[in-house]
Amino acid sequence: VSWGDWGTPLRAFNVATDAFVVKLNVDGTLPSEVSVDLDLATGWNMVSVPLTLDPEADSPGDVFTGAVAVYTWDPTLKSYVTPDEIVPEVGYWVAVTENKTITVTGMPVTEWTDGLASGWNMCGSVYGDPVDVADLADNPSGSILDGAVYWWNPTGKSYSTADQIEEGKGYWIAATQTCDL
């Protein structure tokens, strides 16, 4: 229970016995915000934001300032949609009219679990070191198609098979059935 201000909680102190949950560093300190640079090439870019953002500044317009368009894939509708908020588990198409670097600041997300639909899904990355595609954990096991993880190369304007999931990139991942990744 907290009776005072600390950090930037997702839900701030409200009443005398308001409970909260916080993930601390190994040494017991509060995690610090970090920044990630997203290098965008002219045209379309498939990116992700491996950070938990301030809920007051997580809209596509706030995160991708100056972008012409921001879309994500809805695997249930099998169509592109404009997202309401930017979250770490998701990949996004971002269109810009010139090369630019966008710096995003928030709490690092070093792991996540998200539900995938059968078929193609746009997924995000995690903060930090790349994760080998072979190390992705799906449940039920075998739901993710081997060799069916792709990223978009905005310079070459083509897809490439991904061996690793890298910070800041978005990915197409094919699932044979509904599963958790």
Side-chain angles (χ1 to χ4, degrees):
V1 178
S2 171
W3 286 276
D5 296 334
W6 56 270
T8 54
L10 294 179
R11 194 173 66 117
F13 170 74
N14 193 17
V15 295
T17 58
D18 200 13
F20 66 93
V21 176
V22 63
K23 182 177 180 179
L24 300 174
N25 293 325
V26 174
D27 64 2
T29 60
L30 286 171
S32 300
E33 287 190 332
V34 297
S35 294
V36 172
D37 288 337
L38 301 175
D39 294 321
L40 305 177
T42 301
W44 288 101
N45 299 266
M46 193 175 184
V47 301
S48 67
V49 178
L51 308 172
T52 299
L53 304 175
D54 178 344
E56 300 296 319
D58 66 355
S59 73
D62 290 333
V63 176
F64 301 112
T65 307
V68 176
V70 178
Y71 296 109
T72 191
W73 178 253
D74 184 321
T76 305
L77 298 175
K78 300 207 182 312
S79 67
Y80 290 105
V81 295
T82 303
D84 293 326
E85 63 183 345
I86 303 301
V87 296
E89 299 87 358
V90 177
Y92 300 95
W93 283 113
V94 178
V96 294
T97 57
E98 62 186 8
N99 292 345
K100 69 185 309 181
T101 299
I102 293 178
T103 302
V104 184
T105 302
M107 299 304 293
V109 175
T110 57
E111 61 182 52
W112 54 258
T113 300
D114 197 29
L116 300 185
S118 179
W120 289 102
N121 297 266
M122 279 181 75
C123 296
S125 61
V126 293
Y127 177 81
D129 295 331
V131 175
D132 288 338
V133 168
D135 292 338
L136 295 176
D138 53 354
N139 184 19
S141 182
S143 299
I144 303 301
L145 288 175
D146 290 338
V149 178
Y150 298 95
W151 69 280
W152 175 253
N153 178 338
T155 305
K157 301 196 183 326
S158 64
Y159 288 105
S160 297
T161 303
D163 295 324
Q164 294 184 317
I165 305 295
E166 298 177 40
E167 176 182 279
K169 288 184 180 178
Y171 296 88
W172 283 113
I173 298 179
T176 59
Q177 61 186 317
T178 301
C179 65
D180 286 330
L181 176 66

